[in-house]
Amino acid sequence: NLPKSGYIAARESLPFLLAGSLFFFVTLIMVSRFGSKMLLRLSQQALTDSLSRMPNRRALRHAIIAEETAGRPFGLALIDLDGFKNVNDCYGHAVGDRLIRKVGEYLLQVAGEDGMVARLGGDEFAILIRGKFSAKALQQISERFLEWLHFPIMIEDRSISVGASIGVVTTSKEKAGDGEMLRRADIAMYSAK
Protein backbone atom coordinates (compact mmCIF):
# COMPACT_ATOMS: atom_id res chain seq x y z
CA ASN A 1 0.00 0.00 0.00
CA LEU A 2 2.80 2.42 0.87
CA PRO A 3 4.77 2.08 -2.40
CA LYS A 4 1.56 2.64 -4.38
CA SER A 5 0.80 5.91 -2.54
CA GLY A 6 4.40 7.10 -3.11
CA TYR A 7 3.97 6.41 -6.83
CA ILE A 8 0.72 8.38 -6.90
CA ALA A 9 2.29 11.29 -5.03
CA ALA A 10 5.27 11.32 -7.41
CA ARG A 11 2.98 11.19 -10.44
CA GLU A 12 0.85 14.04 -9.12
CA SER A 13 3.88 16.21 -8.27
CA LEU A 14 5.68 15.51 -11.58
CA PRO A 15 4.09 18.46 -13.44
CA PHE A 16 5.15 20.81 -10.62
CA LEU A 17 8.68 19.41 -10.65
CA LEU A 18 8.93 19.79 -14.43
CA ALA A 19 7.54 23.34 -14.31
CA GLY A 20 9.96 24.25 -11.51
CA SER A 21 12.91 22.75 -13.40
CA LEU A 22 11.94 24.58 -16.58
CA PHE A 23 11.59 27.85 -14.66
CA PHE A 24 15.01 27.28 -13.03
CA PHE A 25 16.76 26.66 -16.37
CA VAL A 26 15.09 29.60 -18.12
CA THR A 27 16.07 31.87 -15.22
CA LEU A 28 19.63 30.51 -15.25
CA ILE A 29 19.96 31.19 -19.00
CA MET A 30 18.57 34.72 -18.66
CA VAL A 31 20.81 35.57 -15.70
CA SER A 32 23.91 34.27 -17.47
CA ARG A 33 23.08 36.08 -20.71
CA PHE A 34 22.31 39.42 -19.09
CA GLY A 35 24.99 38.98 -16.45
CA SER A 36 27.69 38.38 -19.06
CA LYS A 37 26.49 41.38 -21.08
CA MET A 38 26.62 43.50 -17.94
CA LEU A 39 30.12 42.25 -17.09
CA LEU A 40 31.27 42.99 -20.64
CA ARG A 41 29.79 46.49 -20.45
CA LEU A 42 31.43 47.13 -17.09
CA SER A 43 34.83 45.92 -18.31
CA GLN A 44 34.54 48.18 -21.37
CA GLN A 45 33.64 51.13 -19.15
CA ALA A 46 36.67 50.42 -16.97
CA LEU A 47 38.91 50.82 -20.03
CA THR A 48 37.20 53.87 -21.56
CA ASP A 49 37.49 57.56 -20.75
CA SER A 50 33.99 58.84 -20.01
CA LEU A 51 34.45 62.26 -21.69
CA SER A 52 36.19 61.37 -24.94
CA ARG A 53 35.01 57.74 -25.28
CA MET A 54 38.65 56.87 -26.03
CA PRO A 55 40.73 54.23 -24.27
CA ASN A 56 41.97 55.40 -20.87
CA ARG A 57 45.22 55.00 -18.91
CA ARG A 58 44.30 51.46 -17.82
CA ALA A 59 43.64 50.42 -21.44
CA LEU A 60 46.98 51.93 -22.48
CA ARG A 61 48.77 49.97 -19.76
CA HIS A 62 47.11 46.77 -20.99
CA ALA A 63 48.24 47.55 -24.55
CA ILE A 64 51.84 48.22 -23.44
CA ILE A 65 51.91 44.94 -21.50
CA ALA A 66 50.48 43.05 -24.50
CA GLU A 67 53.11 44.48 -26.86
CA GLU A 68 55.97 43.74 -24.47
CA THR A 69 54.69 40.23 -23.75
CA ALA A 70 54.53 39.53 -27.49
CA GLY A 71 58.04 40.96 -27.90
CA ARG A 72 56.91 43.44 -30.55
CA PRO A 73 58.61 46.84 -30.89
CA PHE A 74 56.49 49.92 -30.28
CA GLY A 75 56.75 53.61 -29.51
CA LEU A 76 54.84 55.76 -27.08
CA ALA A 77 54.14 59.50 -27.19
CA LEU A 78 52.76 61.45 -24.24
CA ILE A 79 51.03 64.71 -25.09
CA ASP A 80 50.19 67.49 -22.66
CA LEU A 81 48.18 70.46 -23.87
CA ASP A 82 49.77 73.79 -22.96
CA GLY A 83 47.36 76.53 -21.95
CA PHE A 84 44.40 74.23 -21.36
CA LYS A 85 43.82 75.48 -17.81
CA ASN A 86 43.29 78.99 -19.20
CA VAL A 87 40.58 77.62 -21.54
CA ASN A 88 38.67 76.18 -18.58
CA ASP A 89 39.21 79.33 -16.53
CA CYS A 90 38.18 81.76 -19.30
CA TYR A 91 35.43 79.85 -21.11
CA GLY A 92 34.25 77.22 -18.64
CA HIS A 93 34.51 73.45 -18.45
CA ALA A 94 31.92 72.82 -21.18
CA VAL A 95 34.17 74.53 -23.73
CA GLY A 96 37.21 72.76 -22.28
CA ASP A 97 35.41 69.42 -22.66
CA ARG A 98 34.60 70.17 -26.30
CA LEU A 99 38.26 71.09 -26.89
CA ILE A 100 39.36 67.75 -25.38
CA ARG A 101 36.99 65.90 -27.72
CA LYS A 102 38.23 67.84 -30.79
CA VAL A 103 41.87 67.18 -29.91
CA GLY A 104 41.08 63.49 -29.38
CA GLU A 105 39.32 63.26 -32.75
CA TYR A 106 42.27 64.84 -34.52
CA LEU A 107 44.78 62.56 -32.78
CA LEU A 108 42.72 59.53 -33.81
CA GLN A 109 42.76 60.78 -37.38
CA VAL A 110 46.54 61.31 -37.55
CA ALA A 111 47.40 58.12 -35.63
CA GLY A 112 45.55 56.00 -38.17
CA GLU A 113 44.27 52.48 -37.77
CA ASP A 114 47.61 51.12 -36.54
CA GLY A 115 47.86 53.56 -33.67
CA MET A 116 46.15 53.59 -30.31
CA VAL A 117 45.17 56.96 -28.89
CA ALA A 118 44.27 57.18 -25.21
CA ARG A 119 43.16 60.02 -22.99
CA LEU A 120 45.03 59.71 -19.72
CA GLY A 121 43.02 62.35 -17.90
CA GLY A 122 42.83 66.13 -17.77
CA ASP A 123 44.63 67.46 -20.82
CA GLU A 124 46.96 64.47 -21.31
CA PHE A 125 46.83 62.06 -24.22
CA ALA A 126 49.03 59.18 -25.33
CA ILE A 127 49.65 57.53 -28.68
CA LEU A 128 51.01 54.01 -28.99
CA ILE A 129 52.35 53.00 -32.41
CA ARG A 130 53.37 49.41 -33.13
CA GLY A 131 56.28 48.34 -35.31
CA LYS A 132 59.98 48.91 -35.77
CA PHE A 133 59.37 52.28 -37.48
CA SER A 134 57.28 53.59 -34.59
CA ALA A 135 59.76 56.34 -33.69
CA LYS A 136 59.58 57.83 -37.18
CA ALA A 137 55.79 57.47 -37.27
CA LEU A 138 55.43 59.19 -33.89
CA GLN A 139 57.71 62.01 -35.02
CA GLN A 140 55.54 62.59 -38.09
CA ILE A 141 52.33 62.41 -36.04
CA SER A 142 53.76 64.87 -33.51
CA GLU A 143 54.79 67.31 -36.23
CA ARG A 144 51.36 67.16 -37.87
CA PHE A 145 49.65 67.68 -34.52
CA LEU A 146 51.82 70.68 -33.63
CA GLU A 147 51.17 72.18 -37.09
CA TRP A 148 47.43 71.70 -36.53
CA LEU A 149 47.71 73.55 -33.21
CA HIS A 150 49.35 76.55 -34.92
CA PHE A 151 45.86 77.51 -36.02
CA PRO A 152 43.13 78.38 -33.52
CA ILE A 153 40.53 75.69 -32.88
CA MET A 154 36.97 76.91 -33.35
CA ILE A 155 34.52 75.90 -30.64
CA GLU A 156 31.12 77.49 -31.02
CA ASP A 157 31.99 81.12 -31.80
CA ARG A 158 35.28 81.04 -29.89
CA SER A 159 38.74 80.88 -31.40
CA ILE A 160 40.90 78.90 -28.97
CA SER A 161 44.67 78.60 -29.11
CA VAL A 162 46.61 75.97 -27.20
CA GLY A 163 50.00 74.40 -27.62
CA ALA A 164 51.37 70.99 -26.71
CA SER A 165 54.41 69.35 -25.20
CA ILE A 166 55.18 65.90 -26.54
CA GLY A 167 57.55 63.25 -25.23
CA VAL A 168 58.38 60.18 -27.33
CA VAL A 169 60.01 56.91 -26.24
CA THR A 170 60.50 53.61 -28.01
CA THR A 171 61.13 50.11 -26.74
CA SER A 172 64.60 48.74 -26.30
CA LYS A 173 65.91 45.20 -26.06
CA GLU A 174 64.99 44.79 -22.40
CA LYS A 175 61.39 44.92 -21.29
CA ALA A 176 60.76 48.10 -19.34
CA GLY A 177 57.21 47.45 -18.17
CA ASP A 178 54.17 49.65 -18.56
CA GLY A 179 54.95 51.90 -15.59
CA GLU A 180 58.53 52.48 -16.71
CA MET A 181 57.51 53.24 -20.32
CA LEU A 182 54.98 55.82 -19.08
CA ARG A 183 57.58 57.30 -16.71
CA ARG A 184 60.15 57.63 -19.50
CA ALA A 185 57.59 59.23 -21.83
CA ASP A 186 56.58 61.60 -19.02
CA ILE A 187 60.21 62.65 -18.51
CA ALA A 188 60.62 63.19 -22.27
CA MET A 189 57.43 65.28 -22.32
CA TYR A 190 58.57 67.51 -19.47
CA SER A 191 61.94 67.93 -21.20
CA ALA A 192 60.02 69.19 -24.23
CA LYS A 193 58.28 71.83 -22.08
Side-chain angles (χ1 to χ4, degrees), residues 24-69:
F24 173 77
F25 286 115
V26 167
T27 303
L28 184 65
I29 289 169
M30 288 177 63
V31 166
S32 26
R33 179 182 291 168
F34 293 119
S36 62
K37 283 183 182 177
M38 182 62 76
L39 285 175
L40 179 63
R41 191 174 321 139
L42 287 173
S43 67
Q44 288 171 340
Q45 287 177 352
L47 298 173
T48 304
D49 174 63
S50 60
L51 174 64
S52 65
R53 299 287 177 222
M54 298 169 70
N56 62 15
R57 182 180 297 270
R58 178 178 286 147
L60 177 66
R61 285 179 173 267
H62 287 300
I64 292 170
I65 291 168
E67 294 303 311
E68 284 197 330
T69 302

Side-chain angles (χ1 to χ4, degrees), residues 17 25 29 42 45 47 61 87 138 161-162 171-172 179 183:
L17 289 172
F25 286 115
I29 289 169
L42 287 173
Q45 287 177 352
L47 298 173
R61 285 179 173 267
V87 173
L138 284 170
S161 295
V162 291
T171 54
S172 56
R183 189 186 73 79

Side-chain angles (χ1 to χ4, degrees), residues 52-193:
S52 65
R53 299 287 177 222
M54 298 169 70
N56 62 15
R57 182 180 297 270
R58 178 178 286 147
L60 177 66
R61 285 179 173 267
H62 287 300
I64 292 170
I65 291 168
E67 294 303 311
E68 284 197 330
T69 302
R72 294 185 294 252
F74 67 94
L76 180 66
L78 239 53
I79 301 166
D80 185 60
L81 296 181
D82 301 330
F84 179 74
K85 183 182 179 319
N86 291 338
V87 173
N88 276 340
D89 291 346
C90 293
Y91 303 115
H93 290 282
V95 173
D97 289 351
R98 291 193 59 197
L99 177 63
I100 290 294
R101 286 190 206 101
K102 273 201 172 196
V103 166
E105 289 167 7
Y106 185 78
L107 289 173
L108 284 169
Q109 180 185 346
V110 295
E113 292 179 10
D114 296 333
M116 174 189 182
V117 180
R119 178 174 178 240
L120 305 183
D123 61 347
E124 283 191 349
F125 293 86
I127 301 174
L128 184 144
I129 299 289
R130 298 162 182 90
K132 59 183 177 180
F133 301 111
S134 58
K136 185 171 177 68
L138 284 170
Q139 180 183 354
Q140 292 171 344
I141 290 168
S142 298
E143 289 170 359
R144 282 183 65 189
F145 180 61
L146 291 172
E147 286 173 19
W148 182 70
L149 289 179
H150 275 349
F151 302 98
I153 300 168
M154 294 304 295
I155 297 179
E156 296 167 0
D157 57 343
R158 295 173 178 92
S159 176
I160 297 175
S161 295
V162 291
S165 299
I166 304 172
V168 176
V169 294
T170 56
T171 54
S172 56
K173 296 286 184 198
E174 83 280 350
K175 292 181 180 179
D178 58 312
E180 181 62 18
M181 286 296 290
L182 285 166
R183 189 186 73 79
R184 290 176 185 176
D186 203 40
I187 290 170
M189 182 186 66
Y190 279 101
S191 297
K193 282 188 178 282

